[in-house]
């Protein structure tokens, strides 16, 4: 018997448990002593690997005292007489269980999924089917914010296991207690939603939880289909990978279906741009080429107006036929990987340890590029919950964070001409000081008016920048991968001029104020560039704010006309429905019209379906390659590297963006080395024909019925407002 | 095109031109030895000027084929077309001295008269019909697409009935029209939000029987042939009566669906109205344009032959 | 759940290529735009191929040229040097017509087509406008070195047409030598033949030659036939009097108009009248008659004076004489002649008795048949009018030297421009071509209308 405890456990004591004489080390608890001798005492809050706390009181036994003792904390003493199943003990247990079951949302999540909710099992074992006590009168919330773990506070019995798991075992120090009395509960950080806390989804709390309070979150309806040549990744194999070090094995076991191991041969296409997906890839071995194979060109269809002898025989026009005067020299295209693609030669390489497809996996955006294996590769394809675990894993962050920072600083920071003069030393220094921070959807990065303390680069995700004004909030911009913000506050008065919110899963490189100031002081060129950018942004903001007015008309707003900066209105009293505007638009855009003569009416005008160049451009959110962007704060344009995923078309609430198929010659996947005609898509929208003085539709209307107008000025009389 | 104050310059210029031409003609006609004739110098000037105006008027069609080329705004061309085209008639009458002449010249003058008058008629139409369409067809769509929209309405109506009887099912499926060559705006058609129709009406079969039978006997034939006479639903008043009666036969929980059906029939009726009005607005072009082309062609012949002989 | 009607939902119902498709309206427009010009093109082409130029005709041809309707090339021939035009030139006209020149001294000769306008329908080709004449006559010029007696400026009849030339003379008068007092003759209740009272009418003296009406006041008995020299001059038929039998009035003949009242008795012994002839004929007649009488009544030779009933203081009458027949005839002739030459004949004629000349000289009548040698006047066309409506002076004229020709103003009452007036253009009275210089033209035209009927290849006329 003493061998059970080892020889180092010290002196033994003698006691009686349920009439049985046993000997146990003096430091042992009653529970352990009983268990060593084959007697199981039911518990809820006690876990073997955690320090016992004795909060549930289910393990109470008669120990000869006035009150029952919690066996998990009570140390054995010599000569104790323990009764683990006396009537009093059983009555106490039953009462406890009844009370707990009164509030328990039976059957809880765990009971439903795996039938092994400890509380309910215990209740069943004790013959408790119904509780006589009323349920508590308020409902405790559910917390769905974490990607991996579902929290149901209703089912929580405050057993403290998760807290001990997180603090003692994993030492992540995320969980704690909060509140008191009936309002007591578990909290993540300072009672943040779990997904927004510092929880790294190791899963330890979940495997500790006896009930369905913390359960494994399954992505609804999916387990990863296992394609040919793939095997579900075994948790043991995964744990061998350095990036999974520190992740709870049980957790991985529970999420077994969510990550598969795939082997690709050289030349295999792993994913194609524009496809929708929900997985990310981690390259374990091998190299892959990532590229954009959609031609860099604008859509053109021939056979414009005379539909008589043409189907849609599309072709593409080179950039010079659609040149805009303000040509920003785009040097790179941001994609959903740790590299960016140079505009002139959109091909890059990914190697072992690289992760790609994050945005697709986390936020369900379309794939931003085509990945083809250069050598034979081994990759892990995972769903969102596993990615979340991976990304939050300390060792992963330690390894890859550095790479991300480097790439972010090099491509985004130095890739922008403004920052190009930064010296490599300075960049090295920055790298050490820069932090990568993760944000979940809706999280506020900075608030308008707060003191400015950092400068941010967006590594992944979309950030919404808004400014509040007397009438509400105005969206200034949507920033995505490669954009920077925060300089206005730092260069200016020191207070934030706008509120920045993460729209989806965002990762930012945060550069502190000292480093920022050092940067601008050391490199005057950078200061000038940033100042110019800041001034430009402020000027545009000032314009927008000044032009707002205080209009509130229901139908005007109801149609979203307030949002528009430029509307195409057709005066129905003059319009003869001759389609000259549509034909002109098609002619100006190589046979593809950007305008549809349908929509809702406002007064005597038809508000045509043609890009409204909204102040809050919802279309821009989510573009995987950042090709839909704004120019001069007015027109929204779609650049020629659009990969045709269609997200912007879905996002536009007015249906102003359309996708057009066209044929290109591409590599035949079935016959390598041969080319086959494939149908691809690109998105198009009205670009206000800026190369001309007047939009073509307005120019070509013979009855003077088409007008491109600023809605507030145009309808000012109607709305009874002053034109500002 | 509506004639409004933007035409003032053209109006004044036209009046001046007409006045000058009339003065010249009167003097010339009185002084001519054998009366005004097309072959005299002044007659030829009138003829060529009138022909020039006709050519300019004809070029509007060509201009519309290259709408993007910056050759002058379409409105300016249209105003020119209206006024110079109108002036061509008196000038040619002056050219011919108000005689019809031989077969070719008679045909030409008749062609010109009909063309100009049909143009005037069209211009007058354009002052009234768009407003009528604005008022009487609130649910207007694109004329070319009326048939297609009607298909979609039919499917929608069937969806309503399914919703009523099925209760669940999540509303109609998105229309699978992408199967053919045509290009749909934005990808799949999204007429209704998906998955929102899973309202459980909880109605028994016999309770919705009146609706179903109404749909099958009256509404479906109407939707399939909205222009056919004889259906109650083709007339606003009778349709309202029909639906009011239907509402009385069905429990009130189903009334929203019936309201939808009624609105759908209203839309069908409006589309019929739109088609009719559109035809009225555009049919005169079938006379105006071919005749003008024949006019131009024969005018060339006439000019050549008359100068030769 | 109510029906949604959002912009996106509406727009997504639409196929983006709808405007490239053909709908019935556009299809109809396309086909009509193709077919109608094509039809006109074909029509023109077909006519061209069939060499049928009738569509291009600018109007029907005049009545005289109607047969040429299908033979446009008869007139529309290409001139030698013309590059493009095929006008109907003078050359074409002259293949059938001769158009003699108007005046040799005219400065320019207008083209046939400038005055004779074709393709104006069945009007007369001759009906040229005043401008055709006025192009020269409005400002008349003549060839260098020549002069003209015509007025320089004549543009139209109703405006500046000069008065008749005769009226423009310094003292216009009728050169006729027969004295007629129209006023006396037009009085009522004149003493007529057989003692009746008569009222004369214009037509009793003045008639068209073709008139077959009986002369009321002509002689009933056969009068000696006048010698041709004394007969009224004949009116030659020419362009201006194509039908002399109707256009102008004849000269009133004594035997037709005057003789019933104006008796030419010469002696009371005879009821007969002397012939209305030359003096020698009259004398011969008188002598013959007297000789025949005295031969039949020799008792007359003795001239018995009548009973003296004179007063006693008067000298005694001569004694009876016996004369020879010759003497008697001579005496009686002398008496008769003095009556005739002195009274009877002199009443109308201008007789000059010269000393030493046995017979008087009777002036030629000098009657003007045609007052307007260069204009056409047709009394027959004006037969609807009463003579006095144009010749009102005839009723009042007492002097035969008075011109009874109506002035231009009378013509202008009716001949004026305007709907209620008659033709007043130049061609109504004047002609351009001098037909006295007409040459014969042998036309070679054969109407295509007759192609099917004419079997012989030779054109008619040869």
């Amino acid at each position: 018997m003493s061998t059970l405890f080892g020889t180092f456990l010290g002196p033994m004591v003698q006691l009686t448990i349920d009439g049985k004489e046993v000997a146990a080390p003096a430091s042992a608890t009653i529970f352990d002593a009983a268990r060593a001798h084959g007697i199981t005492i039911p518990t809820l809050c006690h876990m073997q690997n955690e320090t016992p706390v004795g909060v549930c009181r289910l393990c109470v036994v008669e120990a000869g005292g006035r009150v029952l003792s919690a066996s998990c904390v009570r140390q054995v003493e010599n000569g104790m007489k323990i009764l683990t199943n006396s009537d009093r003990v059983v009555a106490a247990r039953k009462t406890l269980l009844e009370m707990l079951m009164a509030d328990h949302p039976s059957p809880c999540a765990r009971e439903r999924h795996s039938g092994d909710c400890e509380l309910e099992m215990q209740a069943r074992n004790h013959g408790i089917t119904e509780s006589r006590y009323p349920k508590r009168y308020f409902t405790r919330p559910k917390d769905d914010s974490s990607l991996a773990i579902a929290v149901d506070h209703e089912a929580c019995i405050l057993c403290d296991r998760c807290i001990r798991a997180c603090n003692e075992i994993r030492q992540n120090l995320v969980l704690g207690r909060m509140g008191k009395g009936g309002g007591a509960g578990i909290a993540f950080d300072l009672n943040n939603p779990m997904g927004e806390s510092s929880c790294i989804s190791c899963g330890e709390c979940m495997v500790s939880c006896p009930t369905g309070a913390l359960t494994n979150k399954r992505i609804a309806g999916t387990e990863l289909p296992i394609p040919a040549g793939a095997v579900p990744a075994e948790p043991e194999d995964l744990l061998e990978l350095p990036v999974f070090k520190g992740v709870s094995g049980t957790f991985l076991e529970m999420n077994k279906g969510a990550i598969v191991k795939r082997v690709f041969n050289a030349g295999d296409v792993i994913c194609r741009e524009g496809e929708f997906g929900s997985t990310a890839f981690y390259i374990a071995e091998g190299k892959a080429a990532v590229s954009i194979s959609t031609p860099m060109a604008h859509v053109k269809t021939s056979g414009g107006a005379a539909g008589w002898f043409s189907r849609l025989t599309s072709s593409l026009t080179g950039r010079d036929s659609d040149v805009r005067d303000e040509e920003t020299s785009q040097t790179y295209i941001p994609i959903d990987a740790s590299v960016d693609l140079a505009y002139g030669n959109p091909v890059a390489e990914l190697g072992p340890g690289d992760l790609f497809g994050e945005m697709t996996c986390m936020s369900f955006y379309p794939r931003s590029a085509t990945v083809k294996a250069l050598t034979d590769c081994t990759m892990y394809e995972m769903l969102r919950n596993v990615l979340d675990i991976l990304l939050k894993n300390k060792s992963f962050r330690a390894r890859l964070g550095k790479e991300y920072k480097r790439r972010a600083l090099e491509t985004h920071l130095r890739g922008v001409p403004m920052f190009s003069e930064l010296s490599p030393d300075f960049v090295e220094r920055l790298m050490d000081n820069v932090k990568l921070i993760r944000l979940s959807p809706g999280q506020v990065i900075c608030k308008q008016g707060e003191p400015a303390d950092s400068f941010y680069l967006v590594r992944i995700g979309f950030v919404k920048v808004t400014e509040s004004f007397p009438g509400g909030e105005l969206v200034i911009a949507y920033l995505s991968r490669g954009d920077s913000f925060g300089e206005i506050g730092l260069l200016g008065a020191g207070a934030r001029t706008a509120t920045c919110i993460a729209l989806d899963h965002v990762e930012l490189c945060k550069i502190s104020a000292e480093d920022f100031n050092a940067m601008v002081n050391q490199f005057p060129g950078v200061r000038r560039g940033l100042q110019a950018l800041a001034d430009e942004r402020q000027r545009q903001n000032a314009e927008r704010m000044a032009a707002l007015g205080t209009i509130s008309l229901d139908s005007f707003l109801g149609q979203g006309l307030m949002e528009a900066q430029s509307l195409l209105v057709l005066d129905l009293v003059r319009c003869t429905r001759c389609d000259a505007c549509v034909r002109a638009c098609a002619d100006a855009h190589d046979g593809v019209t950007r305008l549809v003569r349908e929509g809702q009416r406002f007064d005597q005008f038809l508000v045509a379906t043609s890009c409204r160049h909204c102040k809050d451009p919802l279309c821009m959110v989510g573009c995987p390659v950042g090709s839909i962007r704004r120019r001069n704060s007015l027109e929204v344009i779609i650049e020629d590297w659009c990969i045709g995923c269609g997200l912007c078309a879905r996002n536009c609430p007015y249906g102003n963006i359309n996708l057009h198929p066209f044929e290109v010659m591409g590599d035949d996947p079935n016959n390598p080395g041969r080319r086959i005609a494939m149908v691809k898509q690109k998105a198009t929208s009205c670009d206000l024909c800026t190369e001309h003085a007047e939009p073509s539709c307005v120019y070509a209307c013979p009855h003077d019925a088409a007008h491109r107008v600023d809605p507030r000025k145009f309808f000012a009389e109607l709305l009874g407002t002053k034109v500002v | 095109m509506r004639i409004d104050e933007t035409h003032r310059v053209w109006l004044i210029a036209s009046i001046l031109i007409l006045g000058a031409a009339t003065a010249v003609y009167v003097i010339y006609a009185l002084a001519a030895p054998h009366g005004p004739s097309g072959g005299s110098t002044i007659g030829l000037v009138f003829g060529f000027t009138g022909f020039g105006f006709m050519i300019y008027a004809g070029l509007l069609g060509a201009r519309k084929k290259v709408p993007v080329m910056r050759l002058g705004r379409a409105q300016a061309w249209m105003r020119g077309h209206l006024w110079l085209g109108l002036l061509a008639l008196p000038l040619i009458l002056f050219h011919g001295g108000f005689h019809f002449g031989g077969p070719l010249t008679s045909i030409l003058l008749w062609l010109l008269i009909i063309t100009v008058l049909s143009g005037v008629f069209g211009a007058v139409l354009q002052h009234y019909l768009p407003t009528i369409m604005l008022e009487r067809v609130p649910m207007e769509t694109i004329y070319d697409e009326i048939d297609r929209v009607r298909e979609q309405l039919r499917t929608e109506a069937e969806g309503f009935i399914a919703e009523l009887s099925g209760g669940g099912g999540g509303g109609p499926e998105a229309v699978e029209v992408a199967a053919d060559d045509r290009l749909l705006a934005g990808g799949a058609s999204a007429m209704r939000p998906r998955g929102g129709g899973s309202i459980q009406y909880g109605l028994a079969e016999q309770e919705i029987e009146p609706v179903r039978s109404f749909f099958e006997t009256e509404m479906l034939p109407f939707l399939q042939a909205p222009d056919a006479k004889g259906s109650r639903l083709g007339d606003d008043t009778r349709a309202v009566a029909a639906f009011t009666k239907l509402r009385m036969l069905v429990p009130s929980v189903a009334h929203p669906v019936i309201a939808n059906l009624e609105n759908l029939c209203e839309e069908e009726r409006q589309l019929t109205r739109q088609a009719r009005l559109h035809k009225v607005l555009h049919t005169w072009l079938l006379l105006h344009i071919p005749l003008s082309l024949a006019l131009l062609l024969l005018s060339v012949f006439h000019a050549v032959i008359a100068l030769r002989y | 759940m109510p029906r949604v009607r959002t912009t996106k939902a509406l727009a997504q119902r639409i196929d983006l290529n709808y405007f490239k498709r053909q709908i019935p309206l556009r299809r109809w427009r396309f086909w009509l735009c193709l077919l109608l010009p094509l039809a006109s093109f074909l029509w023109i082409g077909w006519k061209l191929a069939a060499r049928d130029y009738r569509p291009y005709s600018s109007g029907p041809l005049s009545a005289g040229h109607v047969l040429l309707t299908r033979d446009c090339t008869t007139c529309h021939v290409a001139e030698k040097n013309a590059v493009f035009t095929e006008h109907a030139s003078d050359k074409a006209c002259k293949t059938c017509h001769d158009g003699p020149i108007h005046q040799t001294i005219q400065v320019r000769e207008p083209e046939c087509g400038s005055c004779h306008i074709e393709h104006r329908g069945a009007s007369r080709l001759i009906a040229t406008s005043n401008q055709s004449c006025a192009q020269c006559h409005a400002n008349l010029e003549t060839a260098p070195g020549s002069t003209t007696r015509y007025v320089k400026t004549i543009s139209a009849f109703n405006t500046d047409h000069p008065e008749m030339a005769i009226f423009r003379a310094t003292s216009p008068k009728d050169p006729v030598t027969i004295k007629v007092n129209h006023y006396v003759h037009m009085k009522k209740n004149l003493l007529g033949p057989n003692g009746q009272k008569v009222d004369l009418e214009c037509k009793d003296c003045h008639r068209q030659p073709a008139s077959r009406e009986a002369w009321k006041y002509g002689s009933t008995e056969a009068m000696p036939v006048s010698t041709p020299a004394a007969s009224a001059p004949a009116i030659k038929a020419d362009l201006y009097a194509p039908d002399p039998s109707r256009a102008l009035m004849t000269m009133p003949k004594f035997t037709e108009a005057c003789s019933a009242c104006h008796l030419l008795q010469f002696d009371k012994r005879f009821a007969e009248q002397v012939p209305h002839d030359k003096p020698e004929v009259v004398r011969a007649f008188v002598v013959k008659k007297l000789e025949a009488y005295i031969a039949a009544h020799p008792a007359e030779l003795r001239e018995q004076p009548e009973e003296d009933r004179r007063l006693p203081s008067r000298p005694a009458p001569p004694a009876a004489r016996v004369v020879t027949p010759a003497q008697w005839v001579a005496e009686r002739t002398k008496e008769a002649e003095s009556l005739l030459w002195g009274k009877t004949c002199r009443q109308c004629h201008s007789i000059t008795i010269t000393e030493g000349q046995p017979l008087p000289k009777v002036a030629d009548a000098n009657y003007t048949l045609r007052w307007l040698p260069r204009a056409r006047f047709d009394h027959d066309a004006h037969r609807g009018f009463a003579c006095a409506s144009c010749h009102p002076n005839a009723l009042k004229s007492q002097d035969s030297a008075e011109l009874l020709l109506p002035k231009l103003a009378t013509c202008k009452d009716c001949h004026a421009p305007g709907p209620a007036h008659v033709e007043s253009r130049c061609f109504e009275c004047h002609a351009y071509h001098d037909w006295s210089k007409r040459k014969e033209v042998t036309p070679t035209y054969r109407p295509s209308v007759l192609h099917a009927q004419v079997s012989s290849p030779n054109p008619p006329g040869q």
Side-chain angles (χ1 to χ4, degrees), chain A residues 242-316:
Chain A
V243 287
F244 276 101
K245 196 165 130 193
V247 178
S248 155
T250 323
F251 187 45
L252 286 177
E253 190 71 44
M254 285 174 147
N255 285 303
K256 200 162 165 187
I259 176 164
V260 296
K261 178 172 170 184
R262 295 181 69 177
V263 175
F264 295 99
N265 299 322
D268 282 348
V269 171
I270 295 148
C271 63
R272 274 182 227 281
E273 68 213 39
E275 282 175 350
F276 278 85
S278 55
T279 58
F281 290 85
Y282 173 78
I283 302 179
E285 282 163 17
K287 288 207 191 72
V290 57
S291 63
I292 289 185
S293 65
T294 310
M296 306 290 195
H298 293 278
V299 167
K300 167 189 171 133
T301 50
S302 54
W308 197 61
F309 37 66
S310 83
R311 269 171 308 173
L312 206 71
T313 53
S314 325
S315 58
L316 296 168

Side-chain angles (χ1 to χ4, degrees), chain A residues 339-567:
Chain A
V339 290
D340 288 325
L341 300 179
Y343 179 77
N345 181 28
V347 180
E349 216 180 75
L350 296 170
D354 277 331
L355 186 68
F356 62 92
E358 270 178 78
M359 294 256 297
T360 306
C361 186
M362 299 296 274
S363 316
F364 302 118
Y365 290 141
R367 299 260 178 227
S368 59
T370 304
V371 180
K372 221 194 310 196
L374 282 174
T375 63
D376 288 350
C377 300
T378 308
M379 296 197 192
Y380 287 96
E381 186 177 358
M382 66 196 84
L383 286 174
R384 199 162 83 161
N385 47 356
V386 179
L387 179 65
D388 192 46
I389 298 168
L390 196 65
L391 287 175
K392 286 182 173 160
N393 189 17
K394 282 195 195 120
S395 58
F396 178 84
R397 296 192 73 71
R399 281 197 60 206
L400 289 177
K402 198 158 183 203
E403 276 310 304
Y404 281 165
K405 283 195 245 179
R406 173 188 299 285
R407 279 182 172 159
L409 289 176
E410 280 191 354
T411 48
H412 301 167
L413 202 52
R414 292 181 69 210
V416 175
M418 171 165 59
F419 291 115
S420 54
E421 67 171 65
L422 292 175
S423 64
D425 292 337
F426 193 79
V427 175
E428 279 299 320
R429 177 188 143 185
L430 268 188
M431 276 227 343
D432 296 330
N433 295 342
V434 137
K435 288 202 198 46
L436 279 178
I437 57 173
R438 296 198 75 201
L439 301 142
S440 31
Q443 229 179 322
V444 174
I445 302 162
C446 58
K447 267 209 167 70
Q448 188 171 353
E450 282 176 353
D453 64 349
S454 25
F455 176 66
Y456 298 94
L457 292 172
V458 180
R459 184 189 82 80
I460 196 174
F462 282 85
V463 173
K464 181 160 106 167
V465 181
T466 62
E467 217 173 287
S468 66
F469 68 98
E473 288 263 317
L474 174 68
V475 171
I476 306 287
Y478 288 107
L479 304 175
S480 71
R481 186 186 172 107
D483 289 327
S484 61
F485 62 99
E487 76 287 347
I488 298 180
L490 288 176
L491 288 174
R496 292 286 178 215
T497 53
T499 305
C500 299
I501 303 174
L503 271 183
D504 52 22
H505 295 277
V506 168
E507 225 176 78
L508 303 172
C509 277
K510 183 172 167 175
I511 297 175
S512 71
E514 301 96 54
D515 291 325
F516 180 80
N517 288 332
M519 180 167 69
V520 297
N521 288 335
Q522 220 175 327
F523 301 97
V526 174
R527 168 176 268 273
R528 274 196 298 276
L530 279 175
Q531 189 72 54
L533 179 66
D535 291 341
E536 180 61 25
R537 279 181 173 166
Q538 283 199 300
R539 187 192 62 76
Q540 287 173 5
N541 295 352
E543 261 181 34
R544 274 194 217 103
M545 300 299 277
L548 268 177
T550 49
I551 305 163
S552 59
L553 209 85
D554 280 343
S555 66
F556 194 66
L557 291 176
Q559 280 191 41
L561 299 183
M562 179 64 183
E563 269 303 304
Q565 293 193 85
S566 164
L567 283 184

Side-chain angles (χ1 to χ4, degrees), chain C residues 109-174:
Chain C
E109 196 176 343
E111 286 188 2
C112 310
S114 68
C115 299
H116 300 287
I117 312 293
E118 251 298 7
H119 289 288
R120 287 287 176 96
S123 60
R124 300 178 289 166
L125 272 183
I126 201 179
T128 58
S129 81
N130 286 344
Q131 296 286 83
S132 310
C133 309
Q135 65 181 311
C136 293
H137 279 276
N139 188 7
L140 193 58
E141 286 169 4
T142 50
S146 59
T147 51
T148 173
R149 60 186 175 91
Y150 291 107
V151 170
K152 192 163 165 74
T153 308
I154 309 176
S155 34
F157 183 65
N158 57 316
T159 53
D160 55 2
H161 192 286
E163 187 52 83
M164 317 281 195
I166 191 82
F167 284 112
R168 284 184 279 130
T170 25
S171 47
K173 53 182 207 200
D174 194 337

Side-chain angles (χ1 to χ4, degrees), chain A residues 220-236:
Chain A
T222 62
E223 272 196 346
L224 260 184
I226 302 179
V231 290
E234 294 300 323
E236 305 88 51

Side-chain angles (χ1 to χ4, degrees), chain B residues 12-185:
Chain B
I12 293 174
S14 303
I15 291 178
L16 287 175
I17 292 176
L18 188 62
T22 312
V24 167
Y25 174 72
V26 165
I27 295 170
Y28 147 73
L30 291 176
H34 301 280
S37 115
S40 63
T41 314
I42 295 191
L44 282 177
V45 167
F46 277 129
F48 276 110
T49 314
F51 186 51
F53 286 176
M54 284 196 268
I55 297 241
Y56 176 85
L59 282 177
L60 180 70
R63 170 78 184 83
K64 283 191 183 177
K65 291 274 187 248
V66 284
V68 183
M69 280 178 74
R70 256 53 185 174
L71 300 169
R73 300 182 88 220
Q75 290 107 53
W77 277 78
M78 192 77 208
R79 287 193 201 106
H81 176 92
L82 276 181
W83 293 106
L84 295 182
L86 192 60
L87 277 178
L89 182 58
L91 283 180
I92 297 294
L93 284 173
F94 290 161
H95 163 69
F98 292 84
H99 296 306
F100 272 80
L104 180 60
T105 46
S106 295
I107 290 176
L108 277 173
L109 195 55
W110 276 117
L111 283 178
L112 178 66
I113 289 171
I114 297 176
T115 305
V116 170
L117 289 182
S118 65
V120 169
F121 175 67
V124 167
L125 274 182
Q126 285 173 4
H127 284 75
Y128 297 107
L129 271 175
T131 314
I132 293 178
M133 284 177 87
L134 172 70
E135 284 161 11
R136 304 215 47 218
V137 191
M139 294 197 254
E140 187 182 338
T141 182
I142 297 179
Y143 173 77
D144 301 26
E145 292 283 280
I146 283 181
D147 289 330
R148 206 176 148 81
V149 168
R150 283 196 159 137
E151 276 172 34
Q152 297 177 24
L153 287 178
R154 275 201 283 282
T155 317
E156 195 182 346
E158 280 159 12
F160 284 133
I161 296 296
E163 182 188 321
L164 197 56
S165 48
E173 294 299 322
V175 175
E176 283 300 317
V177 202
D180 52 50
D181 258 327
R182 295 182 185 154
L183 197 60
L184 276 175

